[in-house]
Structure formats: structure tokens, C-alpha cells
Amino acid sequence: VQLVESGGGVVQTGGSLRLSCAASGDKFRTYSAGWFRQAPGKEREYLASSRWVGGVAYSSSYADSVKARFTISRDNAKNAVYLDMNTLKPEDTAVYYCAAEPTSGGRAAPTQYSYWGQGTQVTVSS
């Protein structure tokens, strides 16, 4: 599975961005997908995950720090997962990564994911 993120950029405080992650392969809809970020000098931080629970149903989870502002979603027709980010703050500045795991086990720990994208830079200016 290859993952390619896009949608990063520079945005002012209070603004919004939508990050996209395009996946290869025909079974991505059954994979767990997650979003993480990493700021300079900091560990990779979990943001949100989407776990397939059967049929067309998914279970979404969020880090407490972003659950009021970020939303994860999927489009199986496009083999993609998205992260909508609102009310952005300077402390949201980081490289944002998409991750995937071919089981329902992908959760909040980076070690639970086998596949990673190259990352996309998000910079929030004050």
C-alpha cells in the first residue's frame, strides 16, 4: 500500500485546511487509517483514526487535544481518507502523516500502523 498526502500549506490562525491521503490497493476500505503529526523536536502525535467495523461502517476516534476541531472521514470510491482541520492554532504547525494498517487494530500508537505516507507540512501563522 502506498499513501500520498496532500493539502498542507500555510494558513492563518483560526483558518481551516483539509488534508487528503490517497491510497493504492483495492482493500484499503477495510484498513484502519490514522492521522498523526510531528513538530520539530517532538514525538509523533496521534490525532485521529478510522477503523472498519464491517460493511460500510467505520468507527472514528480522536485525540482529546483535537476532537473538537478535527474530523476524519473516508471516501471509498476514491480510496482516500481526509482530515478536516478547523480553528487552527500556531501550535498545530507540524508535518502531518497518514498511516494505514491492514487490520482493524490501528489505533493511537504509531507502532500499530504498517504503512505511512511521506507527510505534508502545515504551518499556522500567528
Side-chain angles (χ1 to χ4, degrees):
V1 173
Q2 291 186 323
L3 304 173
V4 180
E5 301 100 332
S6 61
V10 180
V11 63
Q12 291 187 334
T13 296
S16 300
L17 278 177
R18 164 173 267 206
L19 303 183
S20 300
C21 175
S24 64
D26 59 0
K27 296 184 179 179
F28 181 71
R29 68 176 184 85
T30 67
Y31 285 23
S32 296
W35 284 98
F36 293 77
R37 68 185 178 191
Q38 189 164 18
K42 295 189 177 181
E43 293 185 351
R44 193 159 295 192
E45 177 188 10
Y46 165 77
L47 300 174
S49 56
S50 172
R51 179 173 58 91
W52 184 60
V53 295
V56 294
Y58 295 88
S59 174
S60 298
S61 301
Y62 297 90
D64 287 342
S65 59
V66 302
K67 65 181 178 181
R69 300 186 295 125
F70 292 6
T71 302
I72 189 171
S73 60
R74 303 176 76 141
D75 185 335
N76 290 335
K78 296 183 178 180
N79 236 25
V81 60
Y82 305 99
L83 186 69
D84 288 296
M85 306 186 294
N86 298 309
T87 320
L88 286 163
K89 308 173 184 179
E91 51 264 43
D92 293 317
T93 295
V95 177
Y96 283 68
Y97 296 91
C98 171
E101 171 59 29
T103 68
S104 62
R107 296 288 195 279
T111 54
Q112 292 172 320
Y113 295 86
S114 300
Y115 302 99
W116 291 84
Q118 82 289 349
T120 185
Q121 176 72 46
V122 171
T123 302
V124 184
S125 62
S126 57

